[in-house]
Amino acid sequence: MSYPGYPPASPYGQPPPQGGGYYQQPPPQQQHQQPPYPHAHYNTYQQPPQGYGQPPPGPPPGQYGAPPPQPYGAPAHSPPPGTYGAPPPPGASYYPPGPPQAGYGAPPPHAYGHPPGPPPQQSYGAVPATPTAYPPQPYAVQYPPTPPSPGYGPAMTIPWNPDPDADRLRKAMKGWGTDEKELIRVLADKDPFQINLLRDAFQRRHRRDLIADIKSETSSWFEEGLVMLARGPLLNDVHMLFNAMDGAGTNEDIMNDILLCRSNADLKAIKAEFSRVFHRSLEEMVRGELSMKTERHFMIVLGATRAEDSAPVVKADIDRDVDDLYNATEGKIGTDEMRVCSILSLRNDNQIRAISYEYRQKYARDLDTVIQKQEFSGHMKDALLIQLRHGTDKYMLQARLLEDAMAGMGTKDRLLTSRLVRAHWDRNNMRNVRNAYEQRYKKKLVRRVQGETSGDYQRLLTAICGEPI
């Protein structure tokens, strides 16, 4: 991290200075609940009742998911709620209790910089000879699976009527001319559940395909942005993956954006939808586009055996991973790439955050720097950095990727548009990404985007960022 106050000078798990950090996290109990309807409530954002470094409320002792008595480093009692920046009570553990489950794009339930939670007494896998021997089975058996992100699970019934907006879309594209601003107003503020209902309502009421109509009435990057919105997150992911691998060349950035750091449930949904839409196996198509160790890296990812978000952080396992990473990189001549790929692909964000911290404490080097300066290059290096940075700070990662799409000569419009659309499906995520961008680059994200775009395309991306048009 390059912004002030991170990494913290105080021991791992201690709060940053008062007022530090740019995140405003929602209460833990809101993690997998869509904002209430009507849609105006999306702007509500609350500060969590827990203080920095304090655990969210857990189940009573003995219930499923509750840690057994006296796990490694557990505190004698849960600290009372406090304000952001309040230190934990005396005797607080090195690893506070773990977070509730979180979906793709959802902000973590604890404050920024909060360390991962405590484990039960048993580790999340028997001590293996190599990191690749970590069995995926204990995660699925012992810990609740991370639920699919909104739009990646079964269709849901929500108290919202899409018919008026479907009629507005038809009116905006019917007859001579197109009302581009109306298209933006209708599409840019819908959540994944609403967008799927809206697309179905347009077909039912007007016997027309919404995406086909948008393509016929608009053009260029404005068209592409509207289509990304109208498809919804899952359908857009599979179309972008197919286009990234179809024909000559491979768009590795798109593959990284969509496939890396996803929950097992989301990856399974993407693979199933890809097969349904294109009648091809996603794994087979990826194998055809990648080669050698990068192919093996992505096969680990597509295996969808990552530690669930509810899997705890075990100090002994973190220390072993840290030593394995050192022995695979700085501690030997040459680099054991697959060992590094395996660890970063199979650990959850809390575990990766702890690994990164412990590596720096033990070897006085950032793991980020090690990956950049060791014998990694090209696609594999980019993928490993994304996995590491997502674990340590997923909001700052998204901010950096957005800047990468705008930096230099020319704007990478497809990457810029797809990354903004993907970030906007979760309003809290989008808010934190904007704050992280301003923290790092000392400029508002929306102003930076406006400087790289123009016309209806600019208005669309401005609305996706959450600004009125």
Side-chain angles (χ1 to χ4, degrees):
M1 300 297 171
S2 62
Y3 50 91
Y6 195 88
S10 55
Y12 185 67
Q14 295 301 309
Q18 293 288 336
Y22 50 78
Y23 299 126
Q24 299 174 338
Q25 307 294 345
Q29 61 269 23
Q30 293 181 347
Q31 286 308 303
H32 298 297
Q33 297 177 6
Q34 286 302 305
Y37 298 87
H39 202 73
H41 286 258
Y42 273 119
N43 292 326
T44 303
Y45 198 76
Q46 298 177 337
Q47 193 73 9
Q50 289 88 6
Y52 182 92
Q54 295 178 358
Q63 287 192 7
Y64 176 77
Q70 301 302 321
Y72 166 78
H77 55 83
S78 297
T83 58
Y84 180 87
S93 68
Y94 185 87
Y95 293 99
Q101 306 157 17
Y104 167 68
H110 41 252
Y112 164 69
H114 182 80
Q121 286 180 328
Q122 69 272 20
S123 66
Y124 61 83
V127 178
T130 66
T132 56
Y134 277 75
Q137 185 69 11
Y139 296 119
V141 173
Q142 297 181 21
Y143 309 110
T146 305
S149 305
Y152 291 80
M156 293 183 61
T157 301
I158 60 174
W160 181 73
N161 180 14
D163 293 352
D165 279 344
D167 295 341
R168 289 170 63 191
L169 289 173
R170 177 64 184 138
K171 182 179 179 181
M173 295 185 283
K174 186 177 181 180
W176 182 261
T178 302
D179 188 344
E180 290 85 358
K181 288 185 179 180
E182 183 73 350
L183 294 179
I184 297 172
R185 281 190 287 265
V186 173
L187 292 174
D189 68 342
K190 298 297 181 289
D191 67 34
F193 301 118
Q194 291 175 316
I195 208 71
N196 290 337
L197 291 177
L198 180 57
R199 196 172 57 246
D200 293 342
F202 192 89
Q203 175 70 40
R204 170 173 47 81
R205 291 178 66 84
H206 303 290
R207 301 292 188 270
R208 301 178 70 88
D209 182 270
L210 175 60
I211 295 172
D213 278 8
I214 290 173
K215 289 181 176 180
S216 69
E217 295 293 327
T218 59
S219 61
S220 190
W221 297 115
F222 178 58
E223 171 198 328
E224 187 151 339
L226 289 175
V227 168
M228 289 179 187
L229 292 174
R231 282 175 175 157
L234 177 58
L235 187 60
N236 189 58
D237 277 356
V238 300
H239 276 277
M240 292 201 69
L241 278 173
F242 182 84
N243 294 334
M245 296 182 286
D246 190 39
T250 303
N251 192 325
E252 297 167 351
D253 291 322
I254 295 293
M255 293 181 66
N256 292 347
D257 285 354
I258 296 175
L259 295 178
L260 298 178
C261 312
R262 303 298 293 265
S263 70
N264 297 332
D266 284 2
L267 280 174
K268 291 172 183 176
I270 290 170
K271 292 193 291 183
E273 184 72 359
F274 191 94
S275 177
R276 184 191 70 82
V277 173
F278 298 109
H279 307 288
R280 296 184 63 176
S281 164
L282 177 57
E283 292 96 327
E284 290 180 2
M285 198 163 182
V286 169
R287 284 193 189 100
E289 294 297 316
L290 304 179
S291 60
M292 302 177 67
K293 292 181 180 179
T294 305
E295 175 193 334
R296 292 168 59 193
H297 184 187
F298 273 78
M299 288 304 103
I300 296 173
V301 171
L302 288 170
T305 55
R306 191 175 192 247
E308 301 291 354
D309 289 348
S310 57
V313 174
V314 180
K315 182 65 163 61
D317 293 332
I318 296 302
D319 290 342
R320 184 175 58 249
D321 282 344
V322 166
D323 290 339
D324 287 339
L325 286 169
Y326 178 80
N327 292 331
T329 54
E330 298 181 283
K332 62 174 292 184
I333 298 175
T335 304
D336 187 345
E337 294 94 343
M338 295 316 303
R339 181 172 294 192
V340 179
C341 292
S342 178
I343 291 175
L344 294 183
S345 298
L346 297 180
R347 306 295 180 262
N348 65 30
D349 283 352
N350 288 333
Q351 293 162 354
I352 290 174
R353 189 178 304 117
I355 289 168
S356 176
Y357 176 84
E358 293 290 354
Y359 193 99
R360 183 171 57 250
Q361 291 297 105
K362 186 168 186 177
Y363 297 110
R365 276 169 68 88
D366 284 330
L367 194 51
D368 192 296
T369 303
V370 172
I371 291 175
Q372 292 190 65
K373 294 189 175 180
Q374 285 295 122
E375 297 177 13
F376 298 102
S377 61
H379 190 189
M380 179 179 285
K381 180 176 77 171
D382 293 341
L384 290 173
L385 288 174
I386 286 175
Q387 290 175 311
L388 175 63
R389 291 168 180 173
H390 188 276
T392 55
D393 190 336
K394 65 181 180 181
Y395 305 117
M396 188 58 74
L397 168 65
Q398 293 174 77
R400 294 175 69 165
L401 291 175
L402 286 169
E403 176 61 24
D404 288 346
M406 296 181 282
M409 294 294 293
T411 304
K412 304 177 183 70
D413 292 284
R414 179 166 287 108
L415 285 177
L416 175 62
T417 306
S418 64
R419 285 168 178 173
L420 283 173
V421 168
R422 190 172 298 109
H424 107 291
W425 291 121
D426 182 278
R427 302 302 191 273
N428 293 326
N429 177 72
M430 186 75 238
R431 183 179 294 108
N432 281 323
V433 171
R434 291 173 62 175
N435 291 339
Y437 187 93
E438 185 173 356
Q439 179 74 22
R440 182 175 179 86
Y441 298 106
K442 312 305 179 186
K443 179 183 292 189
K444 290 185 179 298
L445 174 61
V446 68
R447 300 290 175 259
R448 180 76 168 97
V449 170
Q450 289 172 340
E452 295 293 319
T453 56
S454 61
D456 292 324
Y457 176 45
Q458 180 190 80
R459 283 187 281 272
L460 174 63
L461 295 191
T462 298
I464 289 172
C465 287
E467 296 290 324
I469 61 167

